[in-house]
Amino acid sequence: MKKCYIVGVIAAIVMVASLCGCGGGTKDMNRKIKDIEFTVIGEDKLPEELKMIIDEKKEKEFKITYQDNDFLYICVGYGKQDTGGYSIVVKDLYLTGNSVYVDTNLIGPEAENRELYQAQESESASYPYIVIKTEYFDKSVVFD
């Protein structure tokens, strides 16, 4: 009877230790390995198919990726805005053990230009988006 109890305790310890080991590995897989070099490209440099996809989605917020040859295009759109004057900044783009992580931020018109844009509001809605071009990674992209 005592042998069964000892074997059961040892089995439980081994299972708990193996579960703890898996949890640590997951954290390591999400840790930043390196920053990724990238280029922000304009509409004139986009592949035609990607232009059409963006045009279809631009009315609403979107987050998509597109692969062409050896390049990965990461696209983030902020949907229809009532005025122009917006810009988008890439806050972070890096590689982890299991994914590419990207974080962008929409910046509104500057205070001194806000009145000008609001005066033009009825005639000029905008659809701000950014396209980030980088080397292709065979990993999922995580948008923040």
PDB file of all heavy atoms in Angstrom, residues 102-122:
ATOM      1  N   VAL A 102       2.871  43.810 -33.889  1.00  0.00           N
ATOM      2  CA  VAL A 102       2.809  45.169 -34.438  1.00  0.00           C
ATOM      3  C   VAL A 102       1.851  46.018 -33.610  1.00  0.00           C
ATOM      4  O   VAL A 102       0.796  45.550 -33.179  1.00  0.00           O
ATOM      5  CB  VAL A 102       2.387  45.169 -35.927  1.00  0.00           C
ATOM      6  CG1 VAL A 102       1.002  44.592 -36.124  1.00  0.00           C
ATOM      7  CG2 VAL A 102       2.478  46.558 -36.527  1.00  0.00           C
ATOM      8  N   ASP A 103       2.254  47.264 -33.371  1.00  0.00           N
ATOM      9  CA  ASP A 103       1.429  48.208 -32.624  1.00  0.00           C
ATOM     10  C   ASP A 103       1.487  49.550 -33.344  1.00  0.00           C
ATOM     11  O   ASP A 103       2.582  50.091 -33.552  1.00  0.00           O
ATOM     12  CB  ASP A 103       1.955  48.342 -31.187  1.00  0.00           C
ATOM     13  CG  ASP A 103       1.057  49.198 -30.305  1.00  0.00           C
ATOM     14  OD1 ASP A 103      -0.089  49.494 -30.697  1.00  0.00           O
ATOM     15  OD2 ASP A 103       1.507  49.552 -29.206  1.00  0.00           O
ATOM     16  N   THR A 104       0.329  50.052 -33.759  1.00  0.00           N
ATOM     17  CA  THR A 104       0.246  51.345 -34.431  1.00  0.00           C
ATOM     18  C   THR A 104      -0.691  52.252 -33.652  1.00  0.00           C
ATOM     19  O   THR A 104      -1.465  51.791 -32.814  1.00  0.00           O
ATOM     20  CB  THR A 104      -0.274  51.205 -35.872  1.00  0.00           C
ATOM     21  OG1 THR A 104      -1.591  50.659 -35.842  1.00  0.00           O
ATOM     22  CG2 THR A 104       0.632  50.319 -36.714  1.00  0.00           C
ATOM     23  N   ASN A 105      -0.638  53.550 -33.966  1.00  0.00           N
ATOM     24  CA  ASN A 105      -1.479  54.505 -33.273  1.00  0.00           C
ATOM     25  C   ASN A 105      -1.932  55.590 -34.254  1.00  0.00           C
ATOM     26  O   ASN A 105      -1.113  56.128 -34.994  1.00  0.00           O
ATOM     27  CB  ASN A 105      -0.698  55.131 -32.111  1.00  0.00           C
ATOM     28  CG  ASN A 105      -1.569  55.915 -31.178  1.00  0.00           C
ATOM     29  OD1 ASN A 105      -2.741  55.606 -31.005  1.00  0.00           O
ATOM     30  ND2 ASN A 105      -1.006  56.932 -30.568  1.00  0.00           N
ATOM     31  N   LEU A 106      -3.222  55.895 -34.225  1.00  0.00           N
ATOM     32  CA  LEU A 106      -3.788  56.967 -35.050  1.00  0.00           C
ATOM     33  C   LEU A 106      -3.644  58.281 -34.294  1.00  0.00           C
ATOM     34  O   LEU A 106      -4.020  58.378 -33.124  1.00  0.00           O
ATOM     35  CB  LEU A 106      -5.262  56.689 -35.347  1.00  0.00           C
ATOM     36  CG  LEU A 106      -5.992  57.744 -36.168  1.00  0.00           C
ATOM     37  CD1 LEU A 106      -5.455  57.785 -37.590  1.00  0.00           C
ATOM     38  CD2 LEU A 106      -7.496  57.441 -36.185  1.00  0.00           C
ATOM     39  N   ILE A 107      -3.104  59.279 -34.973  1.00  0.00           N
ATOM     40  CA  ILE A 107      -2.938  60.597 -34.380  1.00  0.00           C
ATOM     41  C   ILE A 107      -3.831  61.569 -35.138  1.00  0.00           C
ATOM     42  O   ILE A 107      -3.765  61.661 -36.364  1.00  0.00           O
ATOM     43  CB  ILE A 107      -1.468  61.051 -34.455  1.00  0.00           C
ATOM     44  CG1 ILE A 107      -0.586  60.049 -33.708  1.00  0.00           C
ATOM     45  CG2 ILE A 107      -1.311  62.458 -33.891  1.00  0.00           C
ATOM     46  CD1 ILE A 107       0.884  60.259 -33.898  1.00  0.00           C
ATOM     47  N   GLY A 108      -4.679  62.292 -34.389  1.00  0.00           N
ATOM     48  CA  GLY A 108      -5.626  63.228 -34.992  1.00  0.00           C
ATOM     49  C   GLY A 108      -4.962  64.497 -35.478  1.00  0.00           C
ATOM     50  O   GLY A 108      -3.777  64.729 -35.245  1.00  0.00           O
ATOM     51  N   PRO A 109      -5.742  65.345 -36.150  1.00  0.00           N
ATOM     52  CA  PRO A 109      -5.192  66.617 -36.639  1.00  0.00           C
ATOM     53  C   PRO A 109      -4.692  67.470 -35.475  1.00  0.00           C
ATOM     54  O   PRO A 109      -5.253  67.427 -34.381  1.00  0.00           O
ATOM     55  CB  PRO A 109      -6.384  67.293 -37.313  1.00  0.00           C
ATOM     56  CG  PRO A 109      -7.426  66.248 -37.463  1.00  0.00           C
ATOM     57  CD  PRO A 109      -7.140  65.180 -36.462  1.00  0.00           C
ATOM     58  N   GLU A 110      -3.641  68.230 -35.719  1.00  0.00           N
ATOM     59  CA  GLU A 110      -3.115  69.119 -34.691  1.00  0.00           C
ATOM     60  C   GLU A 110      -4.152  70.190 -34.372  1.00  0.00           C
ATOM     61  O   GLU A 110      -4.958  70.570 -35.219  1.00  0.00           O
ATOM     62  CB  GLU A 110      -1.817  69.761 -35.177  1.00  0.00           C
ATOM     63  CG  GLU A 110      -0.701  68.760 -35.350  1.00  0.00           C
ATOM     64  CD  GLU A 110       0.590  69.400 -35.810  1.00  0.00           C
ATOM     65  OE1 GLU A 110       0.731  70.630 -35.711  1.00  0.00           O
ATOM     66  OE2 GLU A 110       1.457  68.651 -36.270  1.00  0.00           O
ATOM     67  N   ALA A 111      -4.112  70.689 -33.164  1.00  0.00           N
ATOM     68  CA  ALA A 111      -5.118  71.637 -32.679  1.00  0.00           C
ATOM     69  C   ALA A 111      -5.265  72.848 -33.588  1.00  0.00           C
ATOM     70  O   ALA A 111      -6.380  73.271 -33.899  1.00  0.00           O
ATOM     71  CB  ALA A 111      -4.779  72.085 -31.268  1.00  0.00           C
ATOM     72  N   GLU A 112      -4.148  73.397 -34.075  1.00  0.00           N
ATOM     73  CA  GLU A 112      -4.246  74.590 -34.915  1.00  0.00           C
ATOM     74  C   GLU A 112      -4.856  74.302 -36.286  1.00  0.00           C
ATOM     75  O   GLU A 112      -5.406  75.180 -36.934  1.00  0.00           O
ATOM     76  CB  GLU A 112      -2.889  75.299 -35.068  1.00  0.00           C
ATOM     77  CG  GLU A 112      -1.809  74.469 -35.712  1.00  0.00           C
ATOM     78  CD  GLU A 112      -0.918  73.747 -34.707  1.00  0.00           C
ATOM     79  OE1 GLU A 112      -1.238  73.696 -33.522  1.00  0.00           O
ATOM     80  OE2 GLU A 112       0.104  73.216 -35.154  1.00  0.00           O
ATOM     81  N   ASN A 113      -4.774  73.057 -36.726  1.00  0.00           N
ATOM     82  CA  ASN A 113      -5.358  72.695 -38.022  1.00  0.00           C
ATOM     83  C   ASN A 113      -6.763  72.124 -37.896  1.00  0.00           C
ATOM     84  O   ASN A 113      -7.444  71.938 -38.901  1.00  0.00           O
ATOM     85  CB  ASN A 113      -4.460  71.674 -38.736  1.00  0.00           C
ATOM     86  CG  ASN A 113      -3.118  72.248 -39.105  1.00  0.00           C
ATOM     87  OD1 ASN A 113      -2.991  73.448 -39.341  1.00  0.00           O
ATOM     88  ND2 ASN A 113      -2.113  71.404 -39.145  1.00  0.00           N
ATOM     89  N   ARG A 114      -7.178  71.805 -36.681  1.00  0.00           N
ATOM     90  CA  ARG A 114      -8.463  71.151 -36.468  1.00  0.00           C
ATOM     91  C   ARG A 114      -9.627  71.977 -37.027  1.00  0.00           C
ATOM     92  O   ARG A 114     -10.520  71.460 -37.678  1.00  0.00           O
ATOM     93  CB  ARG A 114      -8.668  70.860 -34.983  1.00  0.00           C
ATOM     94  CG  ARG A 114      -9.781  69.886 -34.715  1.00  0.00           C
ATOM     95  CD  ARG A 114      -9.749  69.352 -33.298  1.00  0.00           C
ATOM     96  NE  ARG A 114      -8.598  68.470 -33.170  1.00  0.00           N
ATOM     97  CZ  ARG A 114      -7.781  68.451 -32.127  1.00  0.00           C
ATOM     98  NH1 ARG A 114      -7.990  69.250 -31.118  1.00  0.00           N
ATOM     99  NH2 ARG A 114      -6.766  67.631 -32.086  1.00  0.00           N
ATOM    100  N   GLU A 115      -9.603  73.304 -36.805  1.00  0.00           N
ATOM    101  CA  GLU A 115     -10.684  74.162 -37.298  1.00  0.00           C
ATOM    102  C   GLU A 115     -10.745  74.138 -38.817  1.00  0.00           C
ATOM    103  O   GLU A 115     -11.817  74.093 -39.405  1.00  0.00           O
ATOM    104  CB  GLU A 115     -10.495  75.591 -36.787  1.00  0.00           C
ATOM    105  CG  GLU A 115     -10.745  75.717 -35.297  1.00  0.00           C
ATOM    106  CD  GLU A 115     -10.461  77.110 -34.778  1.00  0.00           C
ATOM    107  OE1 GLU A 115     -10.364  78.040 -35.602  1.00  0.00           O
ATOM    108  OE2 GLU A 115     -10.346  77.252 -33.558  1.00  0.00           O
ATOM    109  N   LEU A 116      -9.578  74.168 -39.456  1.00  0.00           N
ATOM    110  CA  LEU A 116      -9.526  74.106 -40.910  1.00  0.00           C
ATOM    111  C   LEU A 116     -10.142  72.810 -41.414  1.00  0.00           C
ATOM    112  O   LEU A 116     -10.963  72.817 -42.329  1.00  0.00           O
ATOM    113  CB  LEU A 116      -8.083  74.226 -41.393  1.00  0.00           C
ATOM    114  CG  LEU A 116      -7.831  73.976 -42.883  1.00  0.00           C
ATOM    115  CD1 LEU A 116      -8.502  75.069 -43.717  1.00  0.00           C
ATOM    116  CD2 LEU A 116      -6.344  73.934 -43.166  1.00  0.00           C
ATOM    117  N   TYR A 117      -9.778  71.693 -40.809  1.00  0.00           N
ATOM    118  CA  TYR A 117     -10.311  70.393 -41.233  1.00  0.00           C
ATOM    119  C   TYR A 117     -11.805  70.287 -40.952  1.00  0.00           C
ATOM    120  O   TYR A 117     -12.550  69.718 -41.747  1.00  0.00           O
ATOM    121  CB  TYR A 117      -9.559  69.245 -40.559  1.00  0.00           C
ATOM    122  CG  TYR A 117      -8.154  69.083 -41.076  1.00  0.00           C
ATOM    123  CD1 TYR A 117      -7.059  69.229 -40.235  1.00  0.00           C
ATOM    124  CD2 TYR A 117      -7.914  68.786 -42.410  1.00  0.00           C
ATOM    125  CE1 TYR A 117      -5.772  69.085 -40.708  1.00  0.00           C
ATOM    126  CE2 TYR A 117      -6.624  68.647 -42.891  1.00  0.00           C
ATOM    127  CZ  TYR A 117      -5.563  68.796 -42.036  1.00  0.00           C
ATOM    128  OH  TYR A 117      -4.290  68.648 -42.505  1.00  0.00           O
ATOM    129  N   GLN A 118     -12.254  70.835 -39.835  1.00  0.00           N
ATOM    130  CA  GLN A 118     -13.682  70.787 -39.525  1.00  0.00           C
ATOM    131  C   GLN A 118     -14.487  71.627 -40.501  1.00  0.00           C
ATOM    132  O   GLN A 118     -15.605  71.282 -40.855  1.00  0.00           O
ATOM    133  CB  GLN A 118     -13.932  71.231 -38.084  1.00  0.00           C
ATOM    134  CG  GLN A 118     -13.477  70.182 -37.100  1.00  0.00           C
ATOM    135  CD  GLN A 118     -13.533  70.643 -35.651  1.00  0.00           C
ATOM    136  OE1 GLN A 118     -13.594  71.832 -35.377  1.00  0.00           O
ATOM    137  NE2 GLN A 118     -13.503  69.691 -34.742  1.00  0.00           N
ATOM    138  N   ALA A 119     -13.917  72.727 -40.983  1.00  0.00           N
ATOM    139  CA  ALA A 119     -14.599  73.549 -41.980  1.00  0.00           C
ATOM    140  C   ALA A 119     -14.749  72.789 -43.292  1.00  0.00           C
ATOM    141  O   ALA A 119     -15.713  72.972 -44.025  1.00  0.00           O
ATOM    142  CB  ALA A 119     -13.824  74.847 -42.207  1.00  0.00           C
ATOM    143  N   GLN A 120     -13.808  71.905 -43.578  1.00  0.00           N
ATOM    144  CA  GLN A 120     -13.846  71.116 -44.808  1.00  0.00           C
ATOM    145  C   GLN A 120     -14.571  69.782 -44.610  1.00  0.00           C
ATOM    146  O   GLN A 120     -14.687  69.007 -45.539  1.00  0.00           O
ATOM    147  CB  GLN A 120     -12.426  70.827 -45.292  1.00  0.00           C
ATOM    148  CG  GLN A 120     -11.631  72.051 -45.619  1.00  0.00           C
ATOM    149  CD  GLN A 120     -10.168  71.703 -45.879  1.00  0.00           C
ATOM    150  OE1 GLN A 120      -9.717  70.597 -45.599  1.00  0.00           O
ATOM    151  NE2 GLN A 120      -9.429  72.663 -46.404  1.00  0.00           N
ATOM    152  N   GLU A 121     -15.054  69.542 -43.407  1.00  0.00           N
ATOM    153  CA  GLU A 121     -15.605  68.240 -43.020  1.00  0.00           C
ATOM    154  C   GLU A 121     -16.634  67.703 -43.996  1.00  0.00           C
ATOM    155  O   GLU A 121     -16.611  66.540 -44.374  1.00  0.00           O
ATOM    156  CB  GLU A 121     -16.215  68.335 -41.623  1.00  0.00           C
ATOM    157  CG  GLU A 121     -16.807  67.053 -41.125  1.00  0.00           C
ATOM    158  CD  GLU A 121     -17.339  67.203 -39.715  1.00  0.00           C
ATOM    159  OE1 GLU A 121     -16.778  67.965 -38.932  1.00  0.00           O
ATOM    160  OE2 GLU A 121     -18.334  66.533 -39.427  1.00  0.00           O
ATOM    161  N   SER A 122     -17.559  68.530 -44.409  1.00  0.00           N
ATOM    162  CA  SER A 122     -18.649  68.039 -45.244  1.00  0.00           C
ATOM    163  C   SER A 122     -18.158  67.526 -46.593  1.00  0.00           C
ATOM    164  O   SER A 122     -18.794  66.691 -47.206  1.00  0.00           O
ATOM    165  CB  SER A 122     -19.687  69.143 -45.458  1.00  0.00           C
ATOM    166  OG  SER A 122     -19.082  70.249 -46.107  1.00  0.00           O
TER     167      SER A 122
END
